Amino acid sequence: MRLYREVVELRCDESFKAWSHGLPYETVKWHFHPEYEIHLVTSTSGRTFVGDYVGRFAPGNLAFLGPNLPHNWVSDVAPGEIVAQRGLVVQFGDGFIRRAIESFPELRPATVLLDESLGGLEYDEAAAEAALPLMTALQTAQGIARLELFFGLMRVLATCGRRRRLSSVHYQPCARDYVHKALEHVLLHIDRDLAGNIRESQMAALAGYTQSSFSRAFRRQTGQSFVHYINEKRIARSCDLLLHTNGSIIEICFQVGFKNVSNFNRQFLLHRKITPSAWRRAHRLAEAQGLAQTRAA
C-alpha cells in the first residue's frame, strides 16, 4: 500500500485535536503522522492495519498509536455506501504531552504508556466503554472542560491493564523516511508563508524538483494535490480567525492568502460544506452554549 503523510491542523486555542469522521473520508488510507492518536471505532467492521500487524476490528475497537506509526482501518462497506460516523479520534503532539508531564509529576506514569504506544496498543471492551463518553464529549467541549476530559481519557488508557501491542516487537516505524527532507522543507515554508503568493513552480525549485516531478512527489507524500493542500491549509486557518477574531469575511479572506472573496467562499464551501458566515454563526453559538453549561455546572 502507498503510504501517505497526514497533516494534523490545530487551532491556536487547542493543545490537541478531537474530531470524528464517517465514510467515505480522505484519511481512510494507509498513512502516518508525527502525532499520537487515540482511535475509537463506533460503527462498521473490517480489517486493522497498524505497522506490520493485520487484524479485525468491530464497533468498540479502541487503539492508541504512537508517532509516525503507519495505520489504517478498512471497513467492510459496499462501494458508495455512506456512514455518518465511523470513528472518534484524538490527536496530540509529543511536545504537548511531554511538557505536561514535566509540569505535573502525577503524570509521570504516563511515560510508560507513551513508550508502549510506539508499537500500537489495542484495548479491551471495558476500556472502550469508559473512553466512549469522554471522546464523545470532547467533540464539543470548550476551555478547561477539554483538558479535564483529555486527562480523564489518558487515565483510562494508562490504568487499563488489559491492552496488547499490535505491531511486532521487532517493528520500527520508519515513516519519516518516506518524506524527503526537501519536501519537509517545503511544508515548513508553506506554514510560515501561507498568506503569501505560494506558487507550485517556486516550491518545486525550492525542493530541487522539476514541476512535474514535484507534483507527483507532493501528491505521493501528502495524498493531495499541491493546490488542494494549500487551499485546505488556508481554510483551516480562516476557521481559526472566524472563531477567535472579529475580522470581516473580506479581511480574513486576504489574511489567509486568497486573492478574492468569491474564490474564498467557493473553496470554503467545498472544504467545509457550509459558507464562512454560517460556519462562524454555528460555532460561536455552540461555544456560547458550552460556556453557559460550564457556568451552570
Side-chain angles (χ1 to χ4, degrees), residues 2-255:
R2 179 179 293 177
L3 182 61
Y4 294 95
R5 182 185 190 273
E6 178 185 346
V7 178
V8 177
E9 290 281 353
L10 290 179
R11 300 200 315 256
C12 64
D13 65 333
E14 290 181 335
S15 299
F16 57 90
K17 184 176 182 179
W19 54 291
S20 65
H21 71 82
L23 292 175
Y25 194 74
E26 59 184 8
T27 62
V28 181
K29 54 192 173 188
W30 185 232
H31 70 284
F32 72 98
H33 42 75
E35 294 77 17
Y36 292 90
E37 176 170 313
I38 305 167
H39 189 280
L40 176 61
V41 177
T42 56
S43 67
T44 76
S45 301
R47 302 187 76 184
T48 303
F49 300 86
V50 174
D52 60 357
Y53 169 82
V54 179
R56 299 289 302 180
F57 73 84
N61 180 266
L62 175 65
F64 182 35
L65 310 180
N68 297 308
L69 181 62
H71 57 278
N72 193 17
W73 284 265
V74 180
S75 295
D76 296 329
V77 297
E81 182 178 349
I82 296 175
V83 178
Q85 185 189 88
R86 200 278 292 273
L88 300 170
V89 181
V90 173
Q91 296 166 317
F92 57 94
D94 186 69
F96 157 65
I97 192 65
R98 299 292 178 181
R99 288 191 298 270
I101 292 172
E102 290 175 4
S103 300
F104 302 103
E106 293 85 351
L107 291 175
R108 287 173 186 163
T111 57
V112 175
L113 176 68
L114 298 179
D115 291 341
E116 291 181 5
S117 74
L118 297 178
L121 298 173
E122 189 174 73
Y123 287 80
D124 65 2
E125 183 177 344
E129 290 178 355
L132 177 59
L134 298 172
M135 296 183 71
T136 300
L138 272 172
Q139 305 300 306
T140 56
Q142 302 288 330
I144 296 175
R146 293 185 88 243
L147 292 176
E148 180 182 8
L149 291 164
F150 174 81
F151 287 113
L153 180 59
M154 292 300 294
R155 179 183 59 81
V156 170
L157 298 179
T159 59
C160 173
R162 299 191 63 182
R163 57 181 185 255
R164 67 185 183 102
R165 181 184 173 107
L166 294 178
S167 61
S168 67
V169 295
H170 303 292
Y171 181 81
Q172 294 294 324
C174 56
R176 285 179 178 170
D177 296 339
Y178 287 84
V179 180
H180 193 276
K181 289 183 178 179
L183 287 178
E184 283 285 1
H185 184 53
V186 166
L187 296 179
L188 290 173
H189 181 88
I190 291 172
D191 282 341
R192 289 194 299 263
D193 193 35
L194 189 59
N197 186 22
I198 303 174
R199 297 181 180 275
E200 186 171 9
S201 58
Q202 293 173 334
M203 296 300 99
L206 181 65
Y209 284 82
T210 65
Q211 186 165 340
S212 58
S213 296
F214 175 80
S215 179
R216 290 192 297 271
F218 193 91
R219 182 181 289 275
R220 183 168 60 248
Q221 302 303 339
T222 67
Q224 303 175 53
S225 70
F226 181 80
V227 172
H228 187 279
Y229 179 87
I230 296 295
N231 285 334
E232 173 57 32
K233 295 279 287 186
R234 286 173 170 166
I235 293 301
R237 187 165 295 180
S238 74
C239 289
D240 193 17
L241 295 173
L242 286 166
L243 187 59
H244 299 104
T245 75
N246 292 318
S248 68
I249 301 297
I250 295 176
E251 290 171 337
I252 291 173
C253 162
F254 291 110
Q255 285 177 26

